[in-house]
Amino acid sequence: MDIDRQRFLKLISRLATITCIAMYVSYIPQIIANFTGNPVSPLQPLVAAINASLWTSYGWLKAKKDWPVIISNVPGIFFGVFTVITVFIH
């Protein structure tokens, strides 16, 4: 693989990691809504947490760990689960 392609793939990897983390951080308004007595549906954050868990496992279990996949999905596990929990403790 030529050096330009490697650089481009590294850039795409970093951008995808940042946007994935931003997607999971966007659960903060839902968490705030849950704490203020306006609970949201737990279905979407629950499915997101399961999805993030599966992708994190995939990245971790590969022969050569896929760090962008792991790093970008770990926040999804925590934010997804925390959002679901806050639905029920508001």
Side-chain angles (χ1 to χ4, degrees):
M1 187 180 321
D2 69 9
I3 193 75
D4 289 334
R5 183 173 171 89
Q6 287 177 346
R7 286 183 181 153
F8 181 71
L9 288 174
K10 189 173 230 177
L11 174 65
I12 295 292
S13 172
R14 287 181 178 159
L15 290 173
T17 299
I18 291 166
T19 56
C20 189
I21 291 170
M23 176 181 65
Y24 292 126
V25 169
S26 70
Y27 280 118
I28 292 173
Q30 292 182 6
I31 293 168
I32 292 169
N34 291 338
F35 279 129
T36 59
N38 301 305
V40 299
S41 170
L43 182 60
Q44 200 277 334
L46 176 63
V47 173
I50 293 168
N51 180 56
S53 298
L54 292 170
W55 277 113
T56 301
S57 299
Y58 168 81
W60 187 263
L61 295 173
K62 286 180 69 174
K64 183 176 184 261
K65 292 189 181 0
D66 194 338
W67 287 108
V69 170
I70 295 167
I71 292 167
S72 63
N73 282 286
V74 166
I77 298 168
F78 293 108
F79 279 107
V81 169
F82 190 65
T83 304
V84 170
I85 289 170
T86 60
V87 168
F88 299 106
I89 64 169
H90 66 279

